Amino acid sequence: MAAAASPVPGLRSVRAVVFDTDGVITDSAPMHAAAWKKAFDACLATHPDQRPFDETDDYRRHVDGLPRQDGAEAFLASRGIDLPPGSPDDPPGTDTVHAVTARKEEEFTRILHARPVAVWPGTVRLLHALRDERMPRAAASSSRHATELLDGAGLLALFDAVVDGNESHRLGLPGKPDPALFTEAARRLGTPPGDTAVVEDALAGVEAGRRGGFGLVVGVDRTQGSGSADDLLRHGADVVVSDPGDLLSGGEDD
């Protein structure tokens, strides 16, 4: 009979773990990228000589892990497009930043309701192993859909705390790369950042972990593209893995 999987020694150096959601726990990052493409391409079409939004590179470098408004502003700025911020009540469109984010939200909701969200099996195995070890676990995400996604995937009970985009907005927390989201998650787990690990796939997220002084910052390189692991290390990851299941030793993952 195979031995039960357990956290690798590096994780045993901390007392709690905070997980990002999209791309780390749920395979929802492509859904977000596709929704952003619909919104941004409609906007780019109204400006001359603009190439379409790239769902891999543009998403990863400018919007991944950020609150919607921050991500939209960052991407548009990268293309030299200066839209007025508009109002949170703006309908989906292309003439204000809020209108663009409303278009993205509309498209993401459509995709979310059209098909179930997959989860990453290696992360689920790690979560169960951490629960067996009685190590506190939190999910932290700038997405307002994070709790809904975790609940729909049957994973919500595996977390002792969840800080999603709705909570972040309610508390007025700044977005990544500011560490406030992760710091709040660690606070709810009752552990200081220095005794807490962050598991994150977005560049802004690993930078937030570094800025927050977290004891271990794990970068998750799902793309394994040219230079992607180096980018995570440069932004603050202490170690890069292709899947959080790599943080287990023994059992099926060894």
Side-chain angles (χ1 to χ4, degrees):
M1 182 176 178
S6 61
V8 298
L11 274 185
R12 293 183 180 277
S13 67
V14 297
R15 293 166 42 206
V17 184
V18 176
F19 291 82
D20 176 49
T21 303
D22 296 311
V24 173
I25 304 168
T26 59
D27 190 11
S28 45
M31 298 164 63
H32 283 287
W36 276 121
K37 181 170 178 59
K38 286 281 189 180
F40 283 137
D41 281 357
C43 181
L44 294 170
T46 68
H47 294 77
D49 303 321
Q50 288 285 350
R51 68 186 185 279
F53 176 79
D54 186 286
E55 293 176 65
T56 300
D57 190 60
D58 284 330
Y59 176 75
R60 184 167 176 267
R61 294 192 175 278
H62 302 298
V63 300
D64 189 16
L66 298 182
R68 284 198 301 266
Q69 194 78 0
D70 293 350
E73 290 174 351
F75 171 72
L76 293 171
S78 77
R79 296 295 185 90
I81 297 173
D82 183 19
L83 293 182
S87 163
D89 297 326
D90 287 350
T94 61
D95 54 350
T96 71
V97 178
H98 274 291
V100 173
T101 62
R103 175 72 184 272
K104 184 268 177 180
E105 174 67 6
E106 178 182 69
E107 182 63 19
F108 182 80
T109 301
R110 184 192 67 77
I111 296 171
L112 182 62
H113 292 162
R115 63 176 186 263
V117 179
V119 299
W120 292 102
T123 306
V124 176
R125 289 194 294 270
L126 175 60
L127 286 166
H128 280 282
L130 293 173
R131 184 181 64 176
D132 292 345
E133 296 273 335
R134 293 191 171 92
M135 185 177 288
R137 305 152 313 280
S141 173
S142 59
S143 171
R144 299 192 181 197
H145 294 279
T147 300
E148 177 187 2
L149 288 168
L150 293 172
D151 188 35
L155 300 178
L156 197 56
L158 289 173
F159 295 95
D160 302 294
V162 176
V163 185
D164 63 10
N166 296 304
E167 277 293 276
S168 180
H169 178 73
R170 183 181 69 82
L171 296 171
L173 302 180
K176 304 171 189 175
D178 191 284
L181 187 70
F182 292 148
T183 301
E184 174 63 17
R187 184 192 70 78
R188 294 186 184 194
L189 293 178
T191 56
D195 290 332
T196 306
V198 165
V199 183
E200 170 68 84
D201 68 320
L203 298 178
V206 295
E207 185 173 336
R210 177 184 59 80
R211 289 188 185 185
F214 282 79
L216 178 66
V217 180
V218 179
V220 179
D221 180 18
R222 297 286 189 195
T223 67
Q224 299 185 52
S226 176
S228 56
D230 289 339
D231 283 345
L232 289 165
L233 291 168
R234 279 195 296 268
H235 278 76
D238 297 305
V239 61
V240 175
V241 296
S242 61
D243 184 88
D246 297 343
L247 298 171
L248 290 168
S249 60
E252 295 179 0
D253 290 87
D254 194 21

